[in-house]
Amino acid sequence: MAQPADVTSASRYEDWRLLKDRITRYLVAVGGTGVIIAILLIFFYLFWVVFPLFVPASADRVASFATPAPEAGPTLLLATDELGEMGVRYTNDGHAVFFDLVSGKPLPPTALLAAPAPGQVTVAVSESAASSLVALGLADGSLLPIRHRFKVSYPNDVRTITPEIEYPYGEEPVAIDDAGQPLSHVAIRDSDDRFSVAAITADHRVVVRSFEKQTNLITEESTLEPVLDQTLTPPFEPDFLLLDPYQTTLYLANRGGDLARYTLAEDELQLAERVRVVAKGELTALRFLLGGFSLLVGNSQGEIAQWMPVRDAENRTTLQRIRSFDYQQAPILAIEAESRRKGFLAADAEGYVGVYHSTADRKLLVERIADQAVTAIAISPRGDTLLARDAKGGLQTWRLHNEHPEVSWSALWGKVQYEGHSEPKYIWQSSAATNDFEPKFSLTPLAFGTIKAAFFAMLVAVPLAILGAIYTAYFMSPAMRQLVKPTIEIMEALPTVILGFLAGLWLAPFVEHHLFGVFAIFFALPFSALLFAWVWHNLPERIRGGVPEGWEALLLIPVLLLAGWLVFVLGPPFEGMVFGEGGMRTWVEQVLGIDYDQRNALVVGIAMGFAVIPNIFSITEDAVFSVPKHLTFGSLALGATPWQTLSRVVILTASPGIFSAVMIGMGRAVGETMIVLMATGNTPVMDLSLFQGMRTLSANIAVEMPESEVGSTHYRVLFLAAFVLFLFTFLVNTLAEVVRQRLRRKYSNL
Amino acid sequence: MSSKFSSWVRSGEPWIWINAGAVSLSIIAVLGLLLLIAVRGLGHFWPHAVLEVKYHETPDRVVQVIGEVHDQEEVTGERLRAAGVAVPAEVVNTSRYLVKVGNRETYGSDFRWLAEPLMEGSSYPAAVMVLERREWGNFFGYLKSVQEGNTTVAEGEAAWDALQERIQRARDIYRQIRDIETGEIGTVNYAMERLRLKQRRLELDGKFTPAAGEELAAKRQQLEESYGKLQVQLSALYDQVRRDHLTATIADGSEVTIEVAQVVRAYRPNALHLGEKLSFYAVKLWEFVSEEPREANTEGGIFPAIFGTVMMVFLMSLMVTPFGVVAAVYLREYAKQGPLTRLIRIAVNNLAGVPSIVYGVFGLGFFVYLLGGNIDRLFFPEALPAPTFGTPGILWASLTLAILTVPVVIVATEEGLSRIPRSIREGSLALGATKAETLWRTVLPMASPAMMTGIILAIARAAGEVAPLMLVGVVKLAPSLPLDGNAPFLHLERKFMHLGFHIYDVGFQSPNVEAARPLVYATSLLLVFVIVVLNLAAITIRNRLREKYRALEH
C-alpha cells in the first residue's frame, strides 16, 4: 500500500529521533561508566604497584651441567657476572675457568700463575660479596690478588661478554707467611690506601699483614709498603676468619663455636672479646653480611644467626645475637651475602638453599635444588642469579625472583635492630650515600607523625567548628547566617599552600616569640567572652534591645580582638615575672628540658586546625539545621529554655551528623600535605611533645617520591603509604557518609 | 547578685555566648588571614622610605647604615646582650629593627637587625638612591657620577637624569638581547633538535639514505648560519649594553662602580611625592604580573607561574567538564537507581575527600611512568633515552587534577539534576520528546548553572592544589612556556611553573628566604584573590539557582 510522501518522511524523522535517543543513551552509558571506572582505577592501580611487595620469592632452574673444563682442577671459588650470564671458577691448580651459565660451555682456562700445578693454590676467596677482587692463597705461604672483569661489547650488534683478569698488585704473589707454610684460610680487604690480608696457615698460626698503597701517578700501578705484620696466638685453633672493610677488626672462629674479635689498637690487633656463637652443634659457615658489619653464623643444625657488635650505654661494644633464621635442617655448608642488599643465601648438606633477608627478618624461600649437599654458591651482583655446586661437582644455574625482600610486617611496623644502633628502633631512612647502607623502612614514625599532626589539628578544630556550627545553625539570625556561611566556604577553599606558608614563615616565629601569649589566649578568649556576656546581661534593657537576638557573634568580634590584643601587650611583662627574663620559650627548654623546634606540633595544630574547621563546620551546621523544627518547637512549648532544647533535643538528634563531620575532618587532617610539609621540620621522630615536629605519611611521599627509582622497593613502599592513606580516608569518609544518609532518612521519618 | 549569676548560668546563656565566640573566632581568623596577606602582599610594591642612621656597633665603632626598615619587634635588653649586641646594661626592654641594607656583594646578606638604643640620628635623605639590579639584589647609596667607557659624562645632580636616560637605553638593548636569546636563538635550537630527532627517527626506521642525510645536513647548515648571524648580532648588542657605568658611594663612604646594564630601575624613594609613589607602585605591580622572575625567583615578576597555572587549569577544565557532566547525567538520568548506583554515588562523593597527594602518586605512576613511558616507546623512540612524555609535564598535571576534581563536577551537576522537578521531565516526555531530547533541550539547560558551579569549584580547587603537582609536572623554573611560537605551538610535554608551587619553593627552598618573603606574600595574595573570586562566583550562582528552583516547585 502506497503511503503519502509526507508520512514516510515523518516516519524517517521519527526513526532518526529514536536513533539519536539510542545513541545518546549508549554514549552516556559508556562515558559515565568510563569515568566511574577511571576513578576506581586509582584504587586498582595503587594496589597493582604495591602488590609485588608481598609476592613471595621464587626460583627456577635455568640449567644444570657438569663441571666445565674439569681438567683444570677442582673448584675453590665460584663467581658470576652482573647479569648472571657468565660464571667463573677458580681451581686449585691456578686456573680461572670462565663458562656460560646457561649452556655450561667453558672458554679455554686462563692460567693465573706462572707455573700452574695441581695443589698449587690452597685457597681462593673473594674480598666480599660486592667485590670482584679475589685472593689466591698459595702452597708456599704467599698470596696473589687478582680481579676479574666482564667486559660487554657489541661487535656486529651481537652482545658479547669478554672476561678479563687483572693483577692490581702485579703478577708476582705477595709473601704473607715468612715460614712459607701453605695458607689454609684467607681474608683480604682492599681500600683506596690500604690492603690487608689475614691468613691461617697449615700449622694453625694466624698471620695478619697490612700494606699501605703507593700508587704511581704516571703508570697508575700500585706498590705495597708493609705497615703491619703480626702473628696472633688465638685462644683456640681457628677454622674461619673474617676481616672487616675498615681493616681494623678481625674475627676468628672454630668449628666448636668459639668466636674471637680482634680490634686494631695502637697499630696492633688485640683480642677484644671472645664469645660462643653456637650453643648446640658445630659452627659450619661464617660470612659477613653486605657492609662487613654483621656476621652470619651457620651451624650444623641448619640455623643461621646474625651477630653484630652493639655499643651499650657505657660505650662498650659487644657482639650480640640479633636474630636467627631456623628454617633449614641440615648443616649449613655455605652462606653467601647479596652484594646490594642486606639479604643472603644459605646452602645446606641436604641440598636445600634458603633465601633470607636480615633487616626484614624474613625467610623468602627455601628450595631443594639437589639430592646431595650443596657445597658452594655464588650470587650475581644483581641478586637474581644463583650458581650452586653440589657435592658431586655438578653446577646449577637458578634465576631468583626476589625483587623486594626488604619488606615485611616487622620491617614496616615493628621495632628493628639496625646495624650500628644500640637497640631496636622505629626508623624511617630510605636512602643514603653509601652502597652498603641498610634501608630503614619503618612506617611507624610516619604513621605516628600523621596521627600526632591530625590529633593536634582536631584538638583545635573540633571545639571551634562544632560550637560555631551549633550557634550558626540554631541561634544565629538568618541575615548574619547569610554572611557567615560564605565566609566559612571561603575558608574551606583557601589553598593549603598558603596556610602552610603562613604557618611556616609567619605563625611559627610568632608562636616562638609569644609562646606564653599563645597559651594564655586559649584561656583569655572564652573568659573574655563570658565576662562580656555577663556584663551585657546586666546592661539596661534599653541598650540590649538595640541589638536583636542572634547577633551575639558580631558583638563578640571586637571583644575577642581586644582580649587578644591585651594578651599580647600585657602578656610579656607578666611572662617575664613568671618565667624569668628569657620568657616561656627559654623556660620550656631550660627548666622543663624539652627541646623546642620552631616548626612544631603546636604550629601545625593551629594551621591545620584552621584548614579543618570549615569541613567540620559545614557538615555539623547542616546536621543541626535540618533537625525537624517541630521537635524544637515541642521542647520550647513544654517550657525548656533554648539552651536546654539545644543540648537535650537538638544535639542528641544531630549527634550522628556531628560524628560524621568529625570523621570527615579527621580524614582531611590525615591526608593534608602542604601544611605539614611547610610547618614542620619533616624529621621522622617519634615524640609526643607539643614542641617537636614530625613527618607525616603524605609529606614523606611529597618529599621522597620524585627521587625514588621506579619499581624499587622504596618506590613501592611510598605507594604503599599512599595506598594506606587512600584506604584510610576512603573508609572513614564512607563511614561518615553512611551515618549521614541514615540520619537524613531518620529526619525524613520524624 | 550571686543568685542572679547562678540563675544566669543555669539558663545556659553563657554557653550560647561561648558558641557565638567560636563563630566570631573563626571569622576573625579568616578575615585576619586575608587581611594579613593583603597588607603584606600589597605593601611589597610600595617604595619604602630609606633610613640613614649612625649605628654604634661597639662603644668605639660607629658605622653608617642605609636601608629600608622592614620589621620591628620588642625585645629584652638581656636577650640582645646575650646575642652579643652591645646595648648598655641599664636597658631592660627595647625594640630592634630589621633593616634591609641591600648591597649583598659588599655586606654578604641583605638584612641586619639594629637595636634601638644604639641608633643615633635617623634621617631620610632625599638623595639616597635605590637600584634594583639583575644580580645581587638591591643597592642603596648615593649617586656620584655616570661614565661612558672611561669618561665621566655627568656628575652631581645632572648625573641622575643621565643615569635614568642610560638605564632606559640599557633596558631597551637588554630587551633586544633577550628577544634574540630566548626568541630567535630558541627557535634555531628547537629546529636543530627537531632535525636531530628526524635523523634519529630515519635511522631507527632504517630509512636513512645518503640523500636524506644531505638534505638534513643542508638544513642544519642553514640553521647554523642563521645561528652564527644571531651570535654576531648578540655580541654587538652585548658590547653596546656594557658601555655605561655609574659610580656611587655606599653607607661607609666607599665608592662602588656598577654597570648600568645591571640596573633594572633606579629611584630615590625619599624624594618621591605621593603621585610618583603611586605610579611607581603601579609600574611595580605591572612588572610583578607581566615579567619573568629574576635572581632565582626572589625578584622580578611571576608571569610564567601565572601563565602555567592558567594553562594547566584551562586544560584541566577541558577534560573535566565533558566527563564530569556525562558521568553525572549517567548516574542521575540513565543508570538504574539501586543499591549499586547508591554505592557508586557514595564512592564518587568520597573520592573528593581522598588526600590530593594520593592523586599525585597515582598520576606519577600511571600517567607519567606507565602511559607516558609507553607513548615514548611507541611514538617518540628517536628521543630515547631522553623521555618526551615519560616525564612529568603539563598534560599529566592537568589530567591528574582532572581526576582529582571530577568528583566535584559530578556532585554539583548531580545536585543540579536532582533539583529539577520531575514534572518538567514528565511534561517533556508527555509531549512526545524522546529521552535524549528531554535531556538536551530541557534538563541540561536548566542544570547548566549547577554545572557551572561545579566547574568553577573544580577550577578553584585545581588552582590552589600543589601537593600532587609537585609529583607530576611543576618545576621551580621552566626554561620555556608550554605555549610558544615554535610549531606545534602547544607543548604538552613541557614542565611548567605554578603559583602555589612558587609560594612553596620561594618561601621554603630559596637560599634567601628573608629577601624573597614580600614576593611570596604578593604571590599568595594573587592566588587567594583568584580563588576567593572564583568561589564567590560559584556561591552566588548556586544561591540564585536555589531561589529559581524554589520558585519552580511552587
Side-chain angles (χ1 to χ4, degrees), chain A residues 17 21 24 29 39 45 467-468 489 491 493 495 497-498 501 505 533-534 537-538 553 581 643 678 701 715 729 734, chain B residues 4 8 15 17 19 23-24 30 78 330 350-351 355 361 365-366 369 432 436-437 500 508 517 520 528 531 535 542:
Chain A
R17 282 178 63 208
D21 188 42
T24 314
I39 294 175
Y45 181 72
L467 296 183
E489 277 182 62
M491 188 177 182
V497 67
I498 285 174
F501 151 67
L505 291 187
W534 174 239
H537 181 72
N538 289 308
E581 278 283 317
W643 176 255
M678 297 160 95
I701 295 171
Y715 179 81
T729 47
T734 307
Chain B
K4 199 175 156 199
W8 178 65
W15 291 109
W17 283 89
N19 286 2
V23 178
S24 316
V30 182
E78 195 192 33
Y330 172 73
N350 291 347
L351 277 173
V361 170
F366 186 77
Y369 291 140
E437 286 161 347
F508 289 81
R517 195 179 298 200
V520 186
V528 166
I531 284 168
N535 273 282
R542 197 186 49 205

